[in-house]
Amino acid sequence: MSERRPRVQLLPAVADRRRALADLLDTLAGHEWAAPSLCREWTAHDVLAHLALSTRQSTARVFWRVLRARGDFERADAALAREHAARFSPSELLAQLRATADLDRRLGLSSAWDPLVDVLVHSQDIARPLGRELPTPPELAVPALRHVWSNVFYGHPDRRLRGLRLVATDIDWTAGRGTEVRGRAGDLLLLATGRPVAATGVTGPGVGEAAARTGS
């Protein structure tokens, strides 16, 4: 009998990152929950709601909402997150995030690596604008980078950043060819997923071009 393949790759690490984020967010003041995140048009409260919802929603429900949004997954995803944020307070959402941190569940349409990308990137979406520190372990950032680099769901970073060579400064990882952009693997993950260059902390002669490519 074959062993069941995990639906979430590196689940113990994903669970650890979910709990680490929850611990950090316990320190937020009330007004900080309305602060803009790095995820365009989402507040910190919205991002937390998205993460709490990610292990609770069914594929059928999401598919129906995407249909209602005329095929726009990002629009449907944002609407679901905001609705969940409207229903639950930050403290309730933190309890939800902790309660399902170890759950081996994801949307049927997603990859087994997407929950890892989700928690690593969205943790920084909240933490960085608020001046909070939550280091991204480079050994987790690298498999996340490998997953997103040529992935159409993430806008094909390999094409969007064509002509640039990304070089991690905290672990052995590079991608692309051309003018160099350097940073910690977690910083490069933010760049690859379209976050503003100013928020990523990357350096090098290719930073200006990277900013132009990401509209930042």
Side-chain angles (χ1 to χ4, degrees):
M1 185 175 184
S2 61
E3 185 177 347
R4 185 181 72 87
R5 295 179 62 185
R7 289 185 56 78
V8 176
Q9 290 289 348
L10 300 178
L11 180 60
V14 171
D16 176 75
R17 291 294 87 200
R18 287 168 174 164
R19 292 193 183 94
L21 176 61
D23 290 345
L24 175 73
L25 297 184
D26 275 336
T27 70
L28 264 59
H31 69 278
E32 291 180 298
W33 288 106
S37 74
L38 296 183
C39 195
R40 202 164 289 140
E41 299 181 7
W42 288 26
T43 66
H45 192 176
D46 294 334
V47 177
L48 173 60
H50 165 77
L51 288 169
L53 191 59
S54 65
T55 54
R56 286 174 162 75
Q57 57 192 356
S58 69
T59 300
R61 182 190 181 204
V62 173
F63 182 70
W64 170 242
R65 293 300 295 266
V66 171
L67 286 178
R68 285 182 58 188
R70 299 183 180 180
D72 189 332
F73 177 83
E74 290 188 6
R75 179 182 167 195
D77 199 32
L80 285 165
R82 292 189 184 105
E83 289 169 14
H84 203 60
R87 288 183 60 199
F88 297 100
S89 69
S91 61
E92 291 172 318
L93 292 171
L94 288 171
Q96 291 177 15
L97 185 62
R98 287 190 170 100
T100 57
D102 294 291
L103 195 61
D104 190 17
R105 184 183 180 190
R106 60 178 174 81
L107 288 179
L109 302 174
S110 64
S111 160
W113 293 102
D114 285 324
L116 175 65
V117 177
D118 215 34
V119 70
L120 294 183
V121 173
H122 285 317
S123 291
Q124 302 307 312
D125 283 340
I126 300 175
R128 295 200 179 197
L130 294 174
R132 298 300 207 279
E133 290 285 337
L134 186 63
T136 301
E139 67 275 12
L140 298 181
V142 165
L145 275 163
R146 288 175 179 153
H147 173 61
V148 307
W149 185 242
S150 59
N151 195 314
V152 64
F153 181 80
Y154 297 97
H156 268 298
D158 59 335
R159 298 179 186 175
R160 179 166 22 94
L161 299 173
R162 184 172 290 150
L164 299 174
R165 181 171 182 260
L166 276 56
V167 180
T169 57
D170 55 352
I171 197 169
D172 184 17
W173 185 85
T174 64
R177 294 181 180 180
T179 311
E180 196 167 281
V181 177
R182 296 183 296 273
R184 294 171 298 183
D187 298 328
L188 299 179
L189 178 61
L190 293 181
L191 177 63
T193 51
R195 271 53 185 179
V197 167
T200 66
V202 295
T203 61
V207 167
E209 182 61 27
R213 300 286 184 87
T214 58
S216 58

